Structures are given as structure tokens and as C-alpha cells.
Amino acid sequence: MMSLVGAQPFIKPMQSSPSVSPGIQRRHTLPASEVRPLNTQDAISVFEIEREAFISVSGDCPLHLDEVRHFLTLCPELSMGWFEEGRLVAFIIGSLWDQDRLTTEALTLHKPCGSTVHIHVLAVHRTFRQQGKGPILMWRYLQYLRCLPNVRRAVLMCEDFLIPFYRKSGFKVLGRCAITVANLTFTEMWYPISGHAYMRRNSEAIRFPQHPLTLPLTKTDEQVDV
């Protein structure tokens, strides 16, 4: 069973980046950035971003407010939020699943003994879109999952127009998803996780809520396809 306690030995603090001249900083990397797991106090901010991002496109949200609180209570260590000067600008929420493919139950259940992380939602605040934050946050999240010893893969379901976006993050198509929502159908995608303590250079993992960390500019972030 994966637990917060079990994951802690694999967590390393990020080191401060060398000072960079303001004139050559990444144009969309703002000062005072941090990335940390979410908690129930973040739920309203999460839902506001999610609602704006999805309602206009799909007519519904992957997670409603009570479901956001549900997962942030059961498995906050499988969430990640990007904050700029204390304001949430992008986030990911995941939970554990214990089957090869997603079923309707995966939308609401967290299976602590599972080895698959079901990524329910990735969303970016409208003010911060088209700045590469979605791909960067996903990349950091996947690297963080490599620190969780029982995790073997990540899966998600998306509408077809999002397949190219997730392909760029390394996901592969599994096939049509068995889940439908109203008239929407989805494609299921997956990403292999090494399943042992491993961190790529320049990809230190996040700390937990009582120890938020600054998110510095790194060469790896510069290389993310935006």
C-alpha cells in the first residue's frame, strides 16, 4: 500500500538555482513560484479554475467540488499545485486505481493498494495559459511519481483533441475508454513509471504542505515543448 509515510524517504528538497539576470529569465516564469501538494483548503480555488476551463468546452467538470475535497482528503500526496505569489495557477489531481483499464468506479474511488495513478484532471488558470505551465507541471508530476515505490504507471482519459498534448508528455494511447459522460466519449492513455526511487537530474520532488518549496527555473523547464 502506498502511503505518505512510505513515500517520504524518496522526497528530496529542491536546491536553489543560481541567480539569473532578469533580462534572460524565462518570460513566463514569475517570481515567488512554488509547487506543493494540494489540501482541502485549496478545493475552492481548484474548482473555480476547473469549472472555467472545462464547462465552456465540455459542459461539465471532471471533478465537482465535493469530489475535489474527497480526493484531497484521501490522497493529497497524489495532487500537485503550482502557486504564483500564493495564488493557485495550475494543478493536477490523481488517485490510485487497481485495474488494467479505467471503469466508472475510477471516477470516484481511491484504491490505496493500487499501482496505477489515475490522473483525474490537469487545469491551468485562464490568465496563465499559453505559457507552458501545463506541460511543465505534468512533467514534474510524472517525475515525482517515480519516487513512489509502488506506482507502476499513470493513466488518464481525455477527449480526442487533447491526445496530441498528452503525447508530447510521453503518454501512449490504450484505446477507447469504457467511460462515457453524457454524450462525451474518451480515449484512455497511459505512461510507464519506473516503480522505484529515481529522480532525473534537475527534477527534485515536491515537499509536503508544511514545507512548501520554491520552484526555480531549470534547464529542463527551458526544454519543455510549449
Side-chain angles (χ1 to χ4, degrees), residues 182-199:
N183 294 324
L184 298 177
T185 60
F186 304 94
T187 293
E188 194 168 334
M189 304 186 74
W190 75 289
Y191 181 95
I193 304 295
S194 60
H196 57 79
Y198 169 78
M199 289 306 294

Side-chain angles (χ1 to χ4, degrees), residues 39-58:
N39 56 58
T40 53
Q41 293 179 338
D42 301 312
I44 292 177
S45 296
V46 165
F47 185 64
E48 287 176 349
I49 293 173
E50 183 193 14
R51 180 173 56 186
E52 189 280 329
F54 286 91
I55 289 292
S56 61
V57 176
S58 303

Side-chain angles (χ1 to χ4, degrees), residues 4 6 18 29 33-34 38 56 80 90 112 120 153 186 197 201:
L4 180 59
T29 300
S33 297
E34 65 178 18
L38 300 165
S56 61
M80 184 178 283
H120 293 270
R153 64 180 191 143
F186 304 94
R201 187 169 63 89

Side-chain angles (χ1 to χ4, degrees), residues 15-98:
Q15 297 177 354
S16 299
S17 294
S19 59
V20 180
S21 170
I24 61 174
Q25 284 185 358
R26 186 183 178 95
R27 67 183 182 276
H28 57 258
T29 300
L30 304 180
S33 297
E34 65 178 18
V35 57
R36 63 166 173 81
L38 300 165
N39 56 58
T40 53
Q41 293 179 338
D42 301 312
I44 292 177
S45 296
V46 165
F47 185 64
E48 287 176 349
I49 293 173
E50 183 193 14
R51 180 173 56 186
E52 189 280 329
F54 286 91
I55 289 292
S56 61
V57 176
S58 303
D60 200 1
C61 294
L63 298 176
H64 294 283
L65 182 57
D66 58 340
E67 295 166 336
V68 170
R69 291 192 175 114
H70 171 71
F71 287 118
L72 295 187
T73 298
L74 291 179
C75 47
E77 71 277 12
L78 294 176
S79 68
M80 184 178 283
W82 186 334
F83 294 80
E84 298 282 9
E85 299 182 340
R87 178 188 184 188
L88 181 66
V89 301
F91 69 88
I92 293 173
I93 292 179
S95 65
L96 284 176
W97 185 239
D98 60 356

Side-chain angles (χ1 to χ4, degrees), residues 54-177:
F54 286 91
I55 289 292
S56 61
V57 176
S58 303
D60 200 1
C61 294
L63 298 176
H64 294 283
L65 182 57
D66 58 340
E67 295 166 336
V68 170
R69 291 192 175 114
H70 171 71
F71 287 118
L72 295 187
T73 298
L74 291 179
C75 47
E77 71 277 12
L78 294 176
S79 68
M80 184 178 283
W82 186 334
F83 294 80
E84 298 282 9
E85 299 182 340
R87 178 188 184 188
L88 181 66
V89 301
F91 69 88
I92 293 173
I93 292 179
S95 65
L96 284 176
W97 185 239
D98 60 356
Q99 298 181 32
D100 291 337
R101 300 293 296 268
L102 295 175
T103 69
T104 303
E105 290 183 330
L107 299 179
T108 55
L109 296 183
H110 168 60
K111 299 283 191 173
C113 294
S115 61
T116 294
V117 172
H118 173 202
I119 299 175
H120 293 270
V121 58
L122 161 66
V124 179
H125 191 283
R126 63 181 181 276
T127 306
F128 296 88
R129 291 175 196 154
Q130 306 302 317
Q131 298 179 4
K133 282 183 167 55
I136 290 172
L137 188 63
M138 178 61 80
W139 186 88
R140 287 183 176 275
Y141 185 77
L142 294 172
Q143 297 310 306
Y144 166 66
L145 294 184
R146 294 179 182 272
C147 293
L148 305 180
N150 296 327
V151 172
R152 296 294 179 266
R153 64 180 191 143
V155 300
L156 57 83
M157 57 186 233
C158 66
E159 293 183 74
D160 288 351
F161 73 91
L162 287 171
I163 291 175
F165 172 85
Y166 288 113
R167 282 189 188 275
K168 289 181 179 180
S169 293
F171 283 82
K172 300 177 182 179
V173 172
L174 268 174
R176 301 306 296 177
C177 186

